[in-house]
Amino acid sequence: MPNHLFDAFRNAISAPDAVFIETQEGRIWTFADVLTLSARLANVLAESGVAPGDRVAVQVEKSAEALVLYLACLRAGAVYLPLNTGYTVAELDYFFNDAKPALVVASPQNAEKLAGIVSGCGAVLETLDDAGGGTILARATVAGSMFADVDRGPNDLAAILYTSGTTGRSKGAMLSHDNLLSNAKALKETWRFTAADRLIHALPIFHTHGLFVASNVTLISGASMFLLPKFDLDRIVALLPKATVLMGVPTFYVRLSEDERVNRESTAHMRLFISGSAPLLSETHRTFRERAGHAILERYGMTETNMNTSNPYDGERIAGTVGLPLPGVSVRVADMETGAPLPAGETGMLEVKGPNVFQGYWNMPEKTKAEFRNDGFFITGDLGVIDGRGYVHIVGRGKDLVISGGYNIYPKEIETELDQIDGVFESAVFGVPHKDFGEGVTAAVVAKPGASLVEKDMLTILGERLARYKLPKRILIVDELPRNTMGKVQKNLLRNAYHNLYD
Ligand code: MLC
Ligand code: AMP
């Protein structure tokens, strides 16, 4: 049996000496380099006792080596488990204990503080930095440069990606080789990727967008990428004349739209600008089009499903819509209560079925069951409507979720931490419009009688427990939270009251 996903990547390589990655420092990685290092790393994984199906948890800075480590995991039959570099020890402790990885790869500067929790969950610790160093690379240099890829079928797991949950507990979405391969193929076809494409890769590689959408689509096309460590306006502007495609979250386009250097001339070599992970405002779509002459192509997906819909490459890219279902993917709108499918034009729950949809949540069969209909459709938690032309419009969220700069933040998780702070009686976390991040995480907090709360101190405490992007941009101290007659906090009233907070 072949290795379902990696074989497809290997087969897309047009020539071993073709370029796959050009780093910010100008280092070139050919496909041959990638095959050799991924073989060496796969040998290290096997020598470390990583067996097929074992999880390899990775929390490292973005680098070409980190991307190759993902490929090495595929080749070794391991389940790749990337983690946001911002996660604190408290957050990681949960992931390690839940996923029980056989191996954890961390940044050298975090090794000491993670040693205890890594050994506590029975894993081996290796390090990798973004400058070509770390224990795993040192071992790779003396490991064999050939590796017989482990057999993996379409349904075998390739990765687990944690998504935050409405209950505050993160859930590990299990993604199979074919979930990833089918989606990469559908996107390649829809977005007309070829080996001639040169992607500007400025997204993090620990989420679906930067890891699977950006990297897998480039790999399956035998194309190449400019790998930036993170979003960097100046560097992106400088690369526009050499690249063909940019993938980003709406914040990328808000920032590019405000830059004088972005114009028809500087973007003439680019064929496609893609946005996703959060709603792209029609205003951003319009401003970018006026400035650069390109209609941003917006698509819609999520960790559990990979990508579901995309505006068309040739047809009309309609601002404010996420386009049409991808080839092989079924999207329907269902009644929120009964689950009965609704006709075009009616708003309800967006539900998805297809080879892209995940295998379930790790260790959570009940949660998995609750999020699928009996006929196999996955309940996304997004509210939408499908228009007469088949375009999907996302009109809201059925889940209590804030999306800030493309990162999902579940209020419940922040509220739980806030409520544990001395002197806090209760809290409510919600999102309000933020020009740069789309939504700004905001908290309203009520003090216990006699207690005095200080915003800065509360942020310091939260900062020790939560990744920085989750921290509220403001914590407002209020006398009481608005409640309905059932006693439920009315976040819509809070959102209205503080609508202009970040203007
Ligand atoms: C950074 N900060 C954020 C933030 N990013 N705060 C809220 N929301 C964010 N997204 C904070 C930092 O902690 C820091 O605060 C301050 O803002 C400045 O940090 P920075 O590092 O200079 O920010 P910047 O590099 O400009 O990052 C912004 C960004 C980045 C939008 C470029 O967040 C980003 O790359 N986002 C992409 C996320 C993504 O890939 N999402 C896809 C998920 S998959 P302090 O206090 O520390 O100074 C998915 C499915 C799908 O959703 O459909 O794709
Ligand atoms: P995540 O759980 O991090 O994978 O985020 C997935 C969620 O991001 C989806 O359920 C949507 O709510 C949101 N999302 C992704 N793409 C878009 C988009 N183009 N427009 C609006 N929301 C989006």
Side-chain angles (χ1 to χ4, degrees), residues 81 87 94-95 98-99 160-174 302-304 358 360-364 366-368 370-371 378-380 399 410:
L81 196 168
Y87 288 149
Y94 168 77
F95 297 124
D98 189 51
I160 293 180
L161 263 61
Y162 275 87
T163 82
S164 312
T166 35
T167 53
R169 261 191 81 194
S170 290
K171 300 170 286 186
M174 300 189 286
M302 57 193 301
T303 303
E304 289 92 332
F358 75 139
Y361 296 113
W362 175 257
N363 275 342
M364 292 184 176
E366 293 303 316
K367 280 226 157 64
T368 304
E371 300 204 19
F378 175 69
I379 306 166
T380 63
K399 48 195 175 190
Y410 277 88

Side-chain angles (χ1 to χ4, degrees), residues 161-164 207-209 250 275-280 298-309 320-322 378 380-383 394-397 399 401 403 406-410:
L161 263 61
Y162 275 87
T163 82
S164 312
H207 281 312
T208 300
H209 198 163
S275 177
S277 306
L280 180 78
E298 185 172 7
R299 58 63 178 175
Y300 158 61
M302 57 193 301
T303 303
E304 289 92 332
T305 63
N306 298 284
M307 299 305 104
N308 299 315
T309 70
T321 84
V322 292
F378 175 69
T380 63
D382 293 310
L383 304 181
I394 297 177
V395 297
R397 293 174 207 138
K399 48 195 175 190
L401 164 71
I403 306 185
Y407 285 134
N408 282 9
I409 296 141
Y410 277 88

